[in-house]
Amino acid sequence: MVTEMTKYDFILMSGDADAFLEKLQAVGVMDITRSRKPIDDKSEKLSARADIYRKSLAQLKNIEKADDPGQKPSDFAVEVLETVKEKEALLEQLPQLYKEVEERKPWGRFDPKSFERLKANGLKLHFYKSKTVDPAWKEQYALSEIATADGNTYFVVVSDSDDYDFPLKELPAPEGDYAALESKIAELEAEVQQKDQRLAQLKWHEPVIQAELDKAVSSLDLHLARVAGEKAAEDYITVFEGFAPTEMEPALHDMLEKEQVFYLTDKAKVDDNPPIKLKNNKFVSMFEVLTDMYGRPKYDEFDPTVWISIFFMLFFAFCMGDMGYGLILILGGLALKKMMPKISPLVVTLGIATTVIGFLFHTFFSMDLLTWDIIPDAVKKIMLPSQIMGFDGTMVLAILVGIVHICLAMIVKTYQSTKTKGFANSLGTWGWTLLIVGGVIVGGLALMGVMDKAVTKWVVIILGGLSALGIFFLNDLHRNPLLNFGSGLWDTYNTATGLLGDVLSYLRLYALGLAGAKLGEAFNAIAMQARGDGGFGWVAFILIVVVGHALNIAMCVLGAFVHPLRLNFLEFFKNSGYEGSGRNYQPLKTE
């Protein structure tokens, strides 16, 4: 949910502004309204400095630490980037040298100065290569074979006149001995090793670079807050605007009273564009990273993270759809605990969901659990039947989940519209929700036999009549009824054409799960054929199963991330009216 914010206006003597902002930064809860990008020379320099530290840390991230050299260079971050740049320059030279060595090797070892001595004596060397050497050439020319490599014969022809002619295209004369190039390559490779060793030594100073980065970011943030203040009374007074969570008011007010600062407070409003801080429980907060990918809600919008946490997890498990793959994800998430502590719980959670859905779909590494005799019949009854109403059970379930997802989105939209605009100004939205959500509920009850035909008929008539009033006549109480009717017709066309496409979009959950299952089945079948009667066939069986399912898991995870995200960002957000244009809460604090 969106944390309630309080707006603060601080009025200070300009000479006291810097000291006050530093104290606010130490508290770390006040979001001073300020630019997020450099706006003057000082902020440009601070930003550039912070960028150097970030790039330096990125270069050191995957480097193994060497023994502490005990050296104390004046600027670790700059040296890291310079060392990396020098190393890259060396590495750029090596491919061309490797290529030249291969070109020179067939000509063997020689002294290039000998070409000049031959030329001084009126003789010239011509270099050729050919798949075959015509014996007649040896009789007609002074030809000497040098080597055979790559199916070609390398040879030279000596001539003593300018009217020399040969039936093959002449090659450029080698510029030197290949051994000289190999010596140069060895020198460059040794220099690259030295650079790698130096980077490994600089790894020791990573905490220092991180500390310098934090210091630079804090200084930049503080400077941007300083220049954000509005000057008044011939620059004697500076006014700052900021926002802090309302729950922090008591502690913040105590500090402000001690500092004897004049300030005004007011409950933050939408027009103030306050920063958005999300406050969710431990489970839901894991999915806030997905909400931030789209955009945080506006101050008067609902927080979609709770819905994303439920449906993204469910859709992800649908797309994976395999109990065995879920167990692999759980193990992978646990393995990431130290390397990626923030992502690890999310991966484990998605793995658990995949394991549960895979069990319900009776699939274990693309094998059907319903065919296993060791599983009791009572357990099999819990699993999803292969067919529902003559259709694939997974496909029917995907459509039903999609309908529920869209209906919930419409309910959320109606609630949000009523909350922000009032009931009277939301009658059009209520009309569509009654028609679609009410129609789905009534249809479901009728299919289950809960409502008889006569009752169903009257309920449908009443729902249709109330919905038509809201859609065609009361969608805007401040507008001409004819315009309302025209707007209702247009909305009807868009909804009728768009809603069917939205529902069918959820078939991708079934399609992705089916594709992964069939590919896994194919790997299993190939592995069984390779096993044969045993022996070495078992080695081939294990390799095919491990490699095949590893590739399948990788592809399934990619699809299971992208498509559920799309269903939440497009289908749900569109039908719920979510905009996601809020700005992140970034309090002035010391890193």
Side-chain angles (χ1 to χ4, degrees), residues 25 54 210-211 213-219 221 587-591:
Q25 189 177 43
R54 288 193 190 94
Q210 181 65 56
L213 170 61
D214 295 341
K215 183 179 176 182
V217 170
S218 297
S219 298
D221 210 21
L588 188 65
K589 62 182 180 179
T590 301
E591 296 292 340

Side-chain angles (χ1 to χ4, degrees), residues 235-310:
D235 292 349
Y236 284 106
I237 293 175
T238 302
V239 180
F240 292 100
E241 179 188 77
F243 297 87
T246 303
E247 61 192 28
M248 299 299 299
E249 272 188 7
L252 192 56
H253 287 187
D254 287 344
M255 186 276 285
L256 294 174
E257 294 297 336
K258 288 178 183 178
E259 296 297 324
Q260 297 183 345
V261 176
F262 182 80
Y263 64 95
L264 302 172
T265 64
D266 191 13
K267 188 176 180 180
K269 303 178 183 64
V270 179
D271 294 340
D272 298 327
N273 189 26
I276 305 302
K277 181 184 179 184
L278 301 180
K279 183 180 180 181
N280 294 298
N281 60 40
K282 192 173 182 180
F283 170 74
V284 175
S285 62
M286 290 190 297
F287 296 85
E288 287 179 2
V289 63
L290 302 181
T291 301
D292 287 339
M293 289 175 66
Y294 187 91
R296 291 202 174 184
K298 295 190 299 182
Y299 194 60
D300 62 342
E301 271 190 313
F302 68 97
D303 179 8
T305 312
V306 63
W307 302 108
I308 290 176
S309 66
I310 297 169

Side-chain angles (χ1 to χ4, degrees), residues 190-378:
E191 288 187 54
V192 170
Q193 279 189 333
Q194 289 176 0
K195 302 300 179 186
D196 284 335
Q197 185 179 4
R198 183 58 189 148
L199 289 172
Q201 291 172 344
L202 287 167
K203 179 80 171 179
W204 277 91
H205 306 300
E206 196 171 18
V208 179
I209 299 173
Q210 181 65 56
E212 290 296 325
L213 170 61
D214 295 341
K215 183 179 176 182
V217 170
S218 297
S219 298
L220 174 62
D221 210 21
L222 184 60
H223 177 71
L224 291 174
R226 284 171 180 161
V227 298
E230 294 183 9
K231 303 292 183 180
E234 297 182 354
D235 292 349
Y236 284 106
I237 293 175
T238 302
V239 180
F240 292 100
E241 179 188 77
F243 297 87
T246 303
E247 61 192 28
M248 299 299 299
E249 272 188 7
L252 192 56
H253 287 187
D254 287 344
M255 186 276 285
L256 294 174
E257 294 297 336
K258 288 178 183 178
E259 296 297 324
Q260 297 183 345
V261 176
F262 182 80
Y263 64 95
L264 302 172
T265 64
D266 191 13
K267 188 176 180 180
K269 303 178 183 64
V270 179
D271 294 340
D272 298 327
N273 189 26
I276 305 302
K277 181 184 179 184
L278 301 180
K279 183 180 180 181
N280 294 298
N281 60 40
K282 192 173 182 180
F283 170 74
V284 175
S285 62
M286 290 190 297
F287 296 85
E288 287 179 2
V289 63
L290 302 181
T291 301
D292 287 339
M293 289 175 66
Y294 187 91
R296 291 202 174 184
K298 295 190 299 182
Y299 194 60
D300 62 342
E301 271 190 313
F302 68 97
D303 179 8
T305 312
V306 63
W307 302 108
I308 290 176
S309 66
I310 297 169
F311 286 100
F312 179 84
M313 180 180 64
L314 179 62
F315 295 163
F316 183 95
F318 255 85
C319 293
M320 296 295 290
D322 192 291
M323 187 177 175
Y325 290 1
L327 295 174
I328 294 296
L329 284 176
I330 293 172
L331 294 175
L334 293 174
L336 290 172
K337 193 170 183 179
K338 289 185 178 180
M339 295 172 55
M340 305 174 73
K342 292 185 179 180
I343 299 298
S344 173
L346 179 59
V347 176
V348 172
T349 302
L350 294 175
I352 293 172
T354 301
T355 303
V356 173
I357 294 296
F359 169 77
L360 295 176
F361 288 178
H362 44 85
T363 305
F364 184 80
F365 287 108
S366 300
M367 295 179 286
D368 191 351
L369 296 178
L370 291 177
T371 62
W372 291 17
D373 296 332
I374 60 173
I375 298 179
D377 290 338

Side-chain angles (χ1 to χ4, degrees), residues 6 28 35 128 148 242 269 300 329 366 416 449-450 495 523 536 567:
T6 299
S35 170
Y128 300 95
T148 301
K269 303 178 183 64
D300 62 342
L329 284 176
S366 300
Q416 188 67 20
V450 177
T495 303
F523 284 123
F536 180 75
L567 291 173

Side-chain angles (χ1 to χ4, degrees), residues 18 22 44 54 80 112 186 191 338 371 377 391 397 424 498 522 581:
D18 289 356
E22 288 177 4
E44 287 281 1
R54 288 193 190 94
V80 168
E191 288 187 54
K338 289 185 178 180
T371 62
D377 290 338
F391 297 97
L397 193 58
S581 56

Side-chain angles (χ1 to χ4, degrees), residues 156-169:
V156 296
V157 176
V158 182
S159 68
D160 59 357
S161 62
D162 295 333
D163 58 351
Y164 164 82
D165 186 36
F166 195 81
L168 294 180
K169 182 180 179 182

